[in-house]
Amino acid sequence: MADLQDQSRMDVMSRPLAVSAPGKVLLAGGYLVLERRYTGLVFALDARIHVLVQAPSDDDTRFHPPIWRPWDESDTYCTLIIVRSPQFTGAQWCYAFRAIEEGKGVKVEDLEDPWIAVDTRNKFLETALGYALSYVSSRIGSDIKPALITILADSDYYSHEVSSADDKGASAAQSRFIDFGVKLQQANKTGLGSSAALVTAFIAALLSFYLPREIFDISNDQGRARAHKLAQIAHSEAQGKIGSGFDVAAAVYGSCMYRRFSPSIFEGLGRPGDFNFAELLRCQVENPDGSNRWDYYINMGAVKWPSQVRLVLCDVDCGTATVGMAKKVLAWRAKNREEADVIWNRLQGETGGLSQLLTNLAGLENTIARASDQRLVTSTDRDDPEMPVRTIEGALNAVRETISEIRKLIQEMSTKADVPIEPPSQTKLLDFCTAIPGVLGGVVPGAGGYDAVALLVMNKDDVLDRLRMKLKDWEAISKEGNDEKPVRVRMLGVREDLDGVRVEAEEDYGAWLQ
């Protein structure tokens, strides 16, 4: 059996392996998802972070000892992993690692090497690498080979002037992944959840590369559950054990209704280097004793998307002010529990209602389509040929009303907590967009603030073209009646996607792999 697993590992590691994970938008349930008694409606997006892992070539001298600094002053050298993000200037990281005795996991060190133009340290990468390799060591021991890892981001993860769609004559891979031409720390994110997608894709790619499929397979339920738990642990550690984890859940499972796990789940786990860490981590990820440590709730079946509706995200070129917003909102809630509970409970009802309305609308579309295909609506057509149309319109109107109610509750929360969840400039923009024919409504997603709006619109070319043209005028319109600088709004090319993490075909990445 061991020989078969070793052969399975060698077969996987002999070729490049690519994994991608989606971004997200928390359409409804912002601030609710911080508490276990509430759920949020989160949609995955078709903008993805891609991680490609491959064994280094024999002639790649960067991987030949002793060209990197040893772990200590002894003659012990460590295995090397090089991570590169070629869309950004100088974005490469060199990591040395080795398994530590007494089951303490794998220690990772960010090296400064003369061969590599090292950018600033990346805490999410470094943490994810340490946790992923520690878990790998708990399954296959310390025989972990060197690797070269490439990270690519779909263009809408960062604000940029030129769309990749304008690259005439470019290959599919070149068009999808543009060269941003700046250092990573200088790039402006569009708020699609890049850190959660990165950690998820990075961990899933490493586990898929190093472990035989009998132990880890991201395409089955067990593999996704293990990747999800490990990604939640690493992402929480990297960001200081804050956040609810909805973004990681969407990166793994796709669009869903989500209730957070209890923060106490991480107590006693420790970090790489702590005694017996690797085994404790394995127990957290695999749950071998059958105990229900993880108490999150993820329901993918509660989310369906109707073909007549499309999610549109707009990147607002304006300074964001989200730092500390959650703390201020929760502080107000703690002092005004009864008043806040009314808002929170009403928002929960509207959040579940929106999910149900979209799911019902998708089901109604399927019912009408099946009836039309089977010629079962002929008698209905004779009696009332407009009935299916009116039924669809009624469902769309209900979606409009629900989004409007969610906005009112967010505005009430914003006003009473004195926090700019929906600041006046975003109110003005959302009112402007909602007045455009074909736009059902919109919200400031997630924690709110100044940097993005999410819209539900009719999925028609003329509606999308009209919205795009109107938004071009927003810079001048936003200037009217105030002395503030005008604000540009860019309609992103992303839309909703039900899928989560998945394996990709390595040939889709072309020259980016080199």
Side-chain angles (χ1 to χ4, degrees), residues 317-383:
D317 182 18
C318 182
T320 182
T322 58
V323 177
M325 286 172 56
K327 290 183 179 178
K328 292 179 181 178
V329 170
L330 294 180
W332 172 83
R333 173 164 168 67
K335 293 179 180 178
N336 304 272
R337 176 66 62 174
E338 186 174 341
E339 184 179 14
D341 276 347
V342 173
I343 299 175
W344 261 245
N345 292 336
R346 288 175 62 195
L347 263 174
Q348 181 67 92
E350 298 297 340
T351 297
L354 180 59
S355 174
Q356 191 62 56
L357 283 170
L358 292 171
T359 298
N360 289 348
L361 183 55
L364 182 59
E365 289 177 343
N366 291 334
T367 298
I368 292 174
R370 285 198 305 270
S372 297
D373 291 342
Q374 298 169 9
R375 301 182 183 279
L376 295 178
V377 297
T378 52
S379 61
T380 301
D381 288 342
R382 284 195 301 270
D383 297 337

Side-chain angles (χ1 to χ4, degrees), residues 90-132:
Q92 293 192 85
W93 300 266
C94 179
Y95 297 105
F97 67 90
R98 70 172 180 181
I100 314 170
E101 69 282 355
E102 297 177 332
K104 295 179 181 179
V106 172
K107 187 174 181 181
V108 173
E109 184 173 338
D110 187 354
L111 301 182
E112 294 185 8
D113 187 86
W115 287 90
I116 302 170
V118 179
D119 208 339
T120 56
R121 289 183 66 173
N122 189 313
K123 190 171 185 179
F124 286 99
L125 280 183
E126 193 170 334
T127 304
L129 184 60
Y131 279 74

